[in-house]
Amino acid sequence: MQHFDVIIIGAGPSGSTAGAMLARAGKNVLCIEKQHFPRFSIGESLLPHCMEFLAEAGLESALQQQAGELGFQYKNGAAFLKQGMYTDFDFTKKFGAGPSTTFQVKRAGFDKLLADEAEKQGLQIRYGISLIALDNSDDALTKLTVQDEQQNTSQLSASFVLDASGFGRVLPRLLDLELPSNFPIREANFCHIKHGITSPTFDCNKILITVHDQHDDIWFWLIPFSDGTASFGVVGKTERFDSKLSHEENLWQQLQQTPKLAELLGNAKPVNEARNITGYSASVKQLYGKNYALLGNAGEFLDPVFSSGVTIALRSASTAVPLVIRQLNGEQPDWEQEFSAPLRKGIKTFRFFVEAWYDSRFQDVIFSTKRNDGVTAMISAILAGYAWDDSNPYVAETARRMNVLREICIEFS
């Protein structure tokens, strides 16, 4: 039985980042990944806060160097469109410290880039390997049963296990940690397109989020890449879509009901088959346990509307790794107070903004013409991923501040 200091499940952004950090600290780390890279994934619009964690793991310079050849698009903000009303948030004018720009990335290339760079730093990755059973009854080590693509099984052991399996949610399933999300069941229909946009006013440096003309709870994402393609998708409750139609037909039908966006994408053509994810929001009973911790989407996923998924994933890796190292060195970290509680604090901030988006409170603020520069800078910081910054009043007192602001926006609209 091969033994490792740490075994990581999943080689996506949180797994590669955690693996690189642990390898740089001299730990013997193995990452097992069910799929083979490159592989398609969504979550393509990074937030600037991500760049801090990539730099910490020694991965940012490779991203900067290879962004152009991989078709990644420089990103400096977020734009919103609703019934012809356009507004945007410039992250370079955000409140607080930290990077203010990032990239919109094709995840196939981005995830492979991070994994390859993590391997260069000492992380071992085995592709085509699935975890099928886990035994953590022993206090000192965890036994893992893994299976390859020919159905051959083998045994591994680790002093600590990090679950970075994303929507696969491997440990939550094996250890009965899953909890239903309190969000309504929504679905996303999406594909990559050759966008064909000719409008001189279109800002390719920002993700464009468009509200459906007839239903405020349906929205579209448009994430341009530097090679003339884009990620395009629509999100709404399942009952908003026609189950008799294909994913592609549902996507284009919703687009035609939103004329301004349809006009912008008048020349758009799909470059791959439309896909669907339904019931993606998820939660867990706990984010850690005996000799394990959950990273990113394996722990909790809210909603794609503000592109928080990769940020939470990288933040969770950055928070967990120093605790793992301390535990491997014989200390006893307080995983509740040092990992779960602080991580959930930022998730709670994002959660409020997601809820306020769908009940239109945040939409009222976004599309108000009465926002002052100071408030706009504070909201920009949260949209840039800085949901843990208590010096920002909209993080420290999220609900009270937002509800008051919304009332002001409505009163003077």
Side-chain angles (χ1 to χ4, degrees):
M1 183 184 296
Q2 268 192 295
H3 179 78
F4 297 87
D5 293 328
V6 182
I7 290 179
I8 300 171
I9 309 164
S14 63
S16 293
T17 300
M21 293 175 66
L22 287 162
R24 285 158 66 94
K27 303 305 178 184
N28 183 23
V29 194
L30 172 69
C31 178
I32 56 173
E33 168 57 52
K34 182 177 181 179
Q35 297 180 287
H36 292 270
F37 287 12
R39 53 89 174 98
F40 182 86
S41 181
I42 54 170
E44 297 119 327
S45 193
L46 304 183
L47 303 184
H49 191 29
C50 291
M51 305 302 279
E52 292 186 301
F53 307 121
L54 295 176
E56 182 182 14
L59 303 175
E60 186 202 9
S61 61
L63 171 60
Q64 297 281 4
Q65 291 165 13
Q66 299 181 44
E69 65 187 79
L70 291 172
F72 300 167
Q73 173 65 49
Y74 170 83
K75 175 185 175 183
N76 63 11
F80 297 86
L81 179 65
K82 183 176 183 179
Q83 296 180 338
M85 181 181 296
Y86 176 92
T87 187
D88 63 25
F89 290 80
D90 183 347
F91 294 162
T92 66
K93 299 177 181 178
K94 68 172 178 60
F95 173 91
S100 55
T101 64
T102 184
F103 294 97
Q104 295 171 160
V105 300
K106 295 185 179 184
R107 284 289 300 276
F110 176 71
D111 290 11
K112 187 176 189 306
L113 167 68
L114 298 190
D116 290 349
E117 290 299 315
E119 283 188 297
K120 292 176 184 177
Q121 298 190 36
L123 173 65
Q124 303 173 58
I125 303 179
R126 296 180 189 171
Y127 293 98
I129 303 294
S130 301
L131 176 65
I132 59 174
L134 180 141
D135 177 2
N136 66 346
S137 58
D138 189 307
D139 287 341
L141 59 84
T142 298
K143 299 175 184 177
L144 300 90
T145 303
V146 299
Q147 187 176 74
D148 66 20
E149 292 168 313
Q150 288 73 46
Q151 312 303 310
N152 301 311
T153 60
S154 57
Q155 302 291 317
L156 302 169
S157 69
S159 300
F160 204 93
V161 177
L162 289 171
D163 187 353
S165 61
F167 290 119
R169 300 171 62 77
V170 173
L171 289 192
R173 288 188 290 103
L174 291 178
L175 300 178
D176 189 28
L177 301 175
E178 293 189 294
L179 283 178
S181 171
N182 59 3
F183 285 136
I185 295 177
R186 295 187 175 94
E187 68 175 88
N189 295 287
F190 53 91
C191 67
H192 281 185
I193 60 174
K194 192 78 175 173
H195 61 69
I197 296 173
T198 58
S199 170
T201 61
F202 179 68
D203 187 351
C204 62
N205 294 332
K206 296 176 175 62
I207 181 176
L208 175 63
I209 296 175
T210 303
V211 181
H212 192 283
D213 271 17
Q214 299 170 26
H215 305 288
D216 284 354
D217 61 337
I218 298 178
W219 60 275
F220 303 84
W221 77 72
L222 179 62
I223 303 171
F225 305 123
S226 64
D227 60 1
T229 64
S231 176
F232 176 56
V234 62
V235 175
K237 293 180 183 176
T238 53
E239 58 265 30
R240 297 293 194 195
F241 299 96
D242 188 338
S243 60
K244 300 183 183 65
L245 298 180
S246 69
H247 305 323
E248 183 172 333
E249 288 168 335
N250 266 310
L251 175 58
W252 297 106
Q253 181 188 74
Q254 297 291 345
L255 174 63
Q256 294 311 313
Q257 296 172 9
T258 309
K260 287 292 185 183
L261 183 60
E263 179 183 349
L264 182 69
L265 293 176
N267 299 319
K269 299 192 182 311
V271 296
N272 61 6
E273 185 177 352
R275 302 173 186 234
N276 171 280
I277 298 179
T278 299
Y280 45 73
S281 297
S283 188
V284 287
K285 298 173 186 175
Q286 59 199 54
L287 291 174
Y288 66 95
K290 187 169 71 172
N291 299 329
Y292 75 84
L294 310 180
L295 306 181
N297 296 351
E300 186 157 1
F301 183 74
L302 300 174
D303 190 271
V305 65
F306 300 124
S307 306
S308 61
V310 175
T311 300
I312 293 172
L314 297 184
R315 177 97 190 192
S316 66
S318 174
T319 306
V321 164
L323 305 183
V324 174
I325 293 171
R326 284 169 50 197
Q327 186 160 320
L328 293 174
N329 292 341
E331 297 182 41
Q332 293 183 325
D334 186 336
W335 281 89
E336 178 59 35
Q337 294 304 314
E338 297 180 77
F339 176 71
S340 181
L343 189 60
R344 287 188 186 275
K345 184 176 182 180
I347 293 173
K348 182 180 178 182
T349 302
F350 278 128
R351 176 183 293 276
F352 178 87
F353 277 84
V354 169
E355 292 172 343
W357 169 267
Y358 282 109
D359 66 24
S360 292
R361 283 177 294 167
F362 191 33
Q363 291 187 34
D364 290 339
V365 170
I366 286 174
F367 293 102
S368 171
T369 59
K370 302 300 180 183
R371 291 194 325 258
N372 65 45
D373 291 344
V375 168
T376 297
M378 293 173 190
I379 294 174
S380 289
I382 294 171
L383 294 177
Y386 297 94
W388 290 265
D389 180 9
D390 277 334
S391 69
N392 185 338
Y394 284 85
V395 173
E397 300 179 291
T398 308
R400 188 183 73 83
R401 292 269 183 172
M402 180 57 66
N403 289 334
V404 169
L405 179 59
R406 187 240 187 172
E407 292 302 319
I408 294 172
C409 290
I410 290 176
E411 181 179 351
F412 292 98
S413 62

